[in-house]
Amino acid sequence: MELTPPGPRGIPPLLTRLVDDSALFPPSDSAMAEAVQAHLDIRAGEHAGMLGVFLCQASRLPELITELIKVRPEQPLPLSLIIDTGLGGVPKAISIVESRAELLSLRMVEMPAPSDVDEVWLERVSEFVPEDVVRVVEPRRGVGWLDGVRKVIEHGSWPKIRCGGLSSENFPSVDEVADFLSVVSSFSGSSFKATNSLHRAVRHTDAETGFTHHGFLNLLVAAARCLSGRDVREALAMTDGEALAQEALELSDQAARAVRSLFACYASATFDDPVADLKGLGLL
C-alpha cells in the first residue's frame, strides 16, 4: 500500500509522510480534543506533506469518534489503529472504524507480537486485517528477536523497531539497529516502521535522563547506506548534524524514495521538534 505519495508544498521525497502523529502516547499524552485539533491544524499548515497517519489506541476509538463528530473534518482522518485490546479485539475495532468511513480512513494496524512470534498468530493477523491496510508488528527485542523480524516480513507485515522509552533497556544499541536494518533490507521490497524517542533529528544524550537517543535523520542516512553497501553503524552513531544533513541532501530523488521504501515512517509525540531540527539543518 502506498503511504508516501508526493507531498504538497515542496516537501522533499526523503521527508514526505515521514512523521506519524502519536500525540496520544507518552511522553505527550495529550487529551483527545487537543490531539485531534493539533493534527488537523498541521494538515492545513505549511509542512502538511511531512505528516503521516494519526495513531489511536483501539480502546479509545469511541472517544476519537466522538471528537471527530464535533469537529467534522473535511476529509476522513487517516488512522493507524494501535491494538491494545489483544489480537481477538482486532475485528471489532476494524468494524467500528469501517462503520465511520466519513470520519476515519484506516491505513495501518499496529500491534506488539507475543514473546514467541509464531506462525499461527501471524496468520491470524493476516486474516483479521484487510489486505489494503498495512500491518505493523513489533517483535520484542531479546533472544531470537531477528528471527521474529524475519517471520513478520515473510507474513507480509512491516516489522516495527522501538528506539527508546522510559528506561535504558528500551534503547537498542547501534549494533542492534544496524542488524535490524540488515535483516529488513535483505527482503526485496520490505519496509519497516520506527517508534519512540525519535523526536529529534540527530543522535544526542538527554541532559535530564542521561539516555542517548537515536536520531531519525541518523536512521534515514543509515538506511541509505544500508542500501548502497556502506558503513551503517557509523551513520547511526554520528552526532554531527551538519554532516548527516549534507549526506541526506546529496541523495538523488530516486535514492531518497528507495530509502523511504525501506524506512517507511516513524511515530513522534511532537511534530514541532522534527520540523525545527530539519529547518535548522537546512533540509526544509
Side-chain angles (χ1 to χ4, degrees), residues 9-30:
R9 298 181 176 90
I11 300 296
L14 190 66
L15 305 177
T16 298
R17 309 296 179 209
L18 175 66
V19 186
D20 286 349
D21 185 348
S22 62
L24 295 178
F25 296 80
S28 174
D29 286 329
S30 296

Side-chain angles (χ1 to χ4, degrees), residues 26-94:
S28 174
D29 286 329
S30 296
M32 184 65 74
E34 177 187 358
V36 168
Q37 190 56 59
H39 185 90
L40 296 177
D41 289 345
I42 294 168
R43 287 207 169 274
E46 179 183 2
H47 301 106
M50 270 184 60
L51 184 63
V53 294
F54 182 83
L55 276 61
C56 181
Q57 303 94 326
S59 62
R60 298 186 69 179
L61 266 178
E63 189 183 352
L64 173 60
I65 290 169
T66 297
E67 196 56 43
L68 289 173
I69 289 171
K70 293 178 186 175
V71 298
R72 288 290 173 186
E74 292 183 7
Q75 300 291 332
L77 188 76
L79 175 69
S80 179
L81 189 61
I82 310 300
I83 303 302
D84 61 346
T85 53
L87 184 58
V90 172
K92 180 180 178 181
I94 290 177

